[in-house]
Amino acid sequence: MTVADPTLEVERALFAEGAPVVIGCDEVGRGAIAGVVAVGVCAIVPGGDAPPAGLRDSKLLSPAKRELLAPLVHEWAAAVAVGEAEPGEVDAHGIIAALGLAARRGLIALHEAGIDVGASTVLLDGSHDWLTPALTSPPSIRVRPKADRDCASVAGASVVAKVHRDSLMVADATRWPQFGWDGNKGYGSPAHLAAVAEFGPSPRHRVTWLKLPATADGAPDATV
């Protein structure tokens, strides 16, 4: 089945409603057992150029294609940022709150880059608004299932966030090579789970996601 390239149709409709800025927003790493959860935010304004040729949701692109597209997204958009929430924050607050923390940090970075975030409309991939509870004064937020597939701003956010997070996992793999993060990027592959069972979790693991029994001192026991 051929998948159509994302367009600016939704973004242009939001501009027509009066939005001066549309910020596409998408998360990466939500289901991983190690590493940060990352949220990409991609701001576009009326009258901008067409999106980069070949832009797609990051899940539909090869790693090499994502690497080629990420800098083109930075050139195309008014501003792009990636916010992160640490594994310990996922453990402490849960994944939904951690997504909100990461997105808030990304939006702050856009604000610091000169984007009027408060006046913007945020286009959020999915059907659940997990962003509003994380913000003191949220802008207009629109949720849209499959926005990462259909909307160029969200696809751009997806690609940039994926490349950013993958680079972090590859860097961490040099310190903890036993977990194979350069290949599995922190997701729970059988080999990754077997390594956790053999070596125990690292400081980059989301310990509460491992479902391991605790030892007498309260630390997770990864030997079972």
Side-chain angles (χ1 to χ4, degrees):
M1 181 180 68
T2 302
V3 179
D5 289 345
T7 70
L8 291 172
E9 180 179 349
V10 173
E11 290 90 338
R12 287 172 178 150
L14 295 172
F15 291 144
E17 293 176 10
V21 183
V22 172
I23 300 174
C25 182
D26 197 20
E27 54 80 16
V28 175
R30 180 173 183 162
I33 63 171
V36 301
V37 63
V39 175
V41 283
C42 177
I44 63 170
V45 295
D49 294 334
L55 180 63
R56 296 276 184 91
D57 168 22
S58 64
K59 295 185 292 294
L60 301 177
L61 297 169
S62 68
K65 187 64 172 177
R66 290 194 294 262
E67 291 282 353
L68 289 172
L69 280 167
L72 299 181
V73 172
H74 279 274
E75 294 174 7
W76 163 64
V80 182
V82 180
E84 304 168 7
E86 291 293 320
E89 291 176 315
V90 176
D91 284 336
H93 306 296
I95 187 61
I96 298 301
L99 286 171
L101 286 172
R104 184 173 69 190
R105 291 161 182 163
L107 293 174
I108 288 171
L110 288 186
H111 170 75
E112 292 173 346
I115 299 298
D116 188 351
V117 173
S120 71
T121 295
V122 176
L123 188 53
L124 186 63
D125 180 53
S127 57
H128 173 227
D129 177 8
W130 43 260
L131 179 53
T132 294
L135 304 177
T136 303
S137 300
S140 175
I141 296 174
R142 307 286 183 93
V143 296
R144 182 181 175 89
K146 299 183 179 178
D148 53 359
R149 184 195 65 184
D150 299 332
C151 304
S153 65
V154 182
S158 171
V159 167
V160 170
K162 177 64 173 169
V163 169
H164 175 85
R165 185 181 183 279
D166 282 0
S167 70
L168 295 178
M169 298 309 301
V170 170
D172 278 346
T174 64
R175 186 172 180 184
W176 294 282
Q178 65 269 36
F179 299 112
W181 292 336
D182 50 341
N184 61 52
K185 304 303 189 292
Y187 289 86
S189 68
H192 186 182
L193 293 171
V196 173
E198 180 177 357
F199 299 104
S202 75
R204 304 304 294 158
H205 279 98
R206 304 172 189 176
V207 178
T208 57
W209 289 44
L210 298 177
K211 299 181 180 178
L212 301 172
T215 60
D217 62 2
D221 182 354
T223 63
V224 295

